[in-house]
Amino acid sequence: MLPGQDVQIVRVQTPSQLDAFKRLAVAYLDWLSEDLHFQGVDDEMATLPGVYAEDNKGVMLLATLPEGGTSVGTAAIRPLQGKQRSGIEEINGIPVADICELKRVFVDVEHQRHGIGKRLVKEAISIAAQYGYKAMVLDTLERLEGANRMYYALGFENCIDYSHCPLEGPLYFFLRL
């Protein structure tokens, strides 16, 4: 079996899973080495599940190793409505109310390049479609070349800058579900 194929992708439901999601989200923020305060990340972490709650048509996912159940990756979706830049009512012809945003995709460094991130994103796409979303968007940075290759390989296309990002080299992606 290839590395990463035996990893389980689970929805965050228990307090220990929530703690693991937070731990990995903080590790992601440290690894990224960018100031994301403009996204309200401190409030987001303090109020999890918050915008990612399932009763809000959101979800938080964990990738866990079969031996010991160690969590090694995260992904989440939330409704885009209310998070987009002022004046944006649709993206590629789809109303913002029918679009979700993919957030917090991260695999810890020692487990990267084994397809775990791709599995997390595929599961997020599947759940988004089950929720009835018609599209998914995400923002990322040009310098995250491996992640960007993955998004293109999964069918994402570049789109308008639907949210404010003051960082250098932002990219915006769109996927019709």
Side-chain angles (χ1 to χ4, degrees):
M1 185 174 294
L2 296 173
Q5 287 187 330
D6 57 347
V7 169
Q8 291 185 310
I9 308 298
V10 298
R11 292 181 189 220
V12 172
Q13 296 179 337
T14 69
S16 64
Q17 289 170 332
L18 185 62
D19 289 343
F21 185 94
K22 285 180 186 179
R23 177 184 55 77
L24 284 164
V26 169
Y28 164 70
L29 296 170
D30 290 343
W31 173 83
L32 192 60
S33 296
E34 297 283 357
D35 182 356
L36 296 184
H37 287 96
F38 68 94
Q39 290 185 350
V41 76
D42 292 333
D43 287 341
E44 177 184 304
M45 290 298 114
T47 62
L48 285 175
V51 295
Y52 304 119
E54 292 194 22
D55 60 358
N56 189 43
K57 286 179 66 177
V59 71
M60 296 184 304
L61 299 172
L62 279 176
T64 60
L65 298 177
E67 56 290 333
T70 302
S71 298
V72 298
T74 61
I77 62 171
R78 67 182 183 188
L80 180 60
Q81 186 76 48
K83 302 294 182 189
Q84 80 276 17
R85 278 190 307 113
S86 177
I88 296 188
E89 301 298 325
E90 65 178 40
I91 301 173
N92 293 355
I94 297 180
V96 168
D98 294 330
I99 300 174
C100 67
E101 185 176 27
L102 181 65
K103 301 295 287 181
R104 309 299 170 239
V105 177
F106 177 68
V107 175
D108 76 25
V109 175
E110 119 182 32
H111 294 90
Q112 289 178 3
R113 304 203 183 284
H114 295 294
I116 297 169
K118 189 175 196 175
R119 289 194 49 216
L120 281 160
V121 173
K122 283 182 167 183
E123 182 65 17
I125 291 168
S126 175
I127 292 168
Q130 291 169 24
Y131 282 169
Y133 288 114
K134 294 182 171 51
M136 176 181 282
V137 294
L138 66 94
D139 61 4
T140 187
L141 299 173
E142 288 176 357
R143 68 180 176 85
L144 303 179
E145 295 173 359
N148 297 333
R149 281 192 302 274
M150 175 188 68
Y151 296 131
Y152 285 124
L154 289 170
F156 284 85
E157 302 171 349
N158 293 96
C159 70
I160 63 167
D161 57 338
Y162 63 86
S163 65
H164 170 70
C165 180
L167 303 178
E168 185 177 329
L171 293 177
Y172 300 87
F173 285 100
F174 171 92
L175 179 69
R176 192 173 301 270
L177 301 178

